[in-house]
Amino acid sequence: MLSKPEKNYYLDIALLLFGAVSIATGVAISIKPPVLMSFLKAINVKSLHEWSSYALTILIMLHLIFHMDWFKAMTRKKIHPKESTTTIPPS
């Protein structure tokens, strides 16, 4: 079983990879470089962009769920700064 830091590490790596694919394919779709058009059509870049964005969205939701305790602690601290005795859990 993975420890919490290992889970965060692998989740962050996946976020980085899918984010990079989503950005790169989005730029390619937007600027349509003539030199790469035949290659981009061959790999179906629009479909790759859509699916990498779906995966990225799911991973972001998981990331938010994994850090929900931190969000709660920070919100409590910001809303009631003097009453908060809760320590912020490490991310």
Side-chain angles (χ1 to χ4, degrees):
M1 184 131 205
L2 296 174
S3 67
K4 188 172 181 177
E6 288 175 320
K7 286 179 189 176
N8 285 331
Y9 173 76
Y10 290 121
L11 179 61
D12 289 346
I13 294 295
L15 282 165
L16 176 67
L17 293 174
F18 281 106
V21 170
S22 184
I23 291 168
T25 54
V27 169
I29 290 169
S30 177
I31 63 173
K32 296 180 176 107
V35 176
L36 298 175
M37 283 311 291
S38 61
F39 173 72
L40 295 175
K41 286 180 184 177
I43 64 167
N44 198 357
V45 72
K46 184 177 179 186
S47 181
L48 180 61
H49 177 71
E50 289 172 355
W51 283 102
S52 64
S53 297
Y54 295 148
L56 186 60
T57 302
I58 291 167
L59 291 171
I60 289 170
M61 286 184 215
L62 282 174
H63 182 77
L64 293 173
I65 290 167
F66 283 179
H67 297 290
M68 192 56 65
D69 290 338
W70 181 83
F71 285 115
K72 288 178 186 176
M74 287 301 292
T75 302
R76 256 187 250 117
K77 185 178 177 181
K78 295 295 180 187
I79 292 174
H80 306 289
K82 294 181 182 180
E83 297 174 18
S84 179
T85 58
T86 308
T87 58
I88 300 169
S91 314

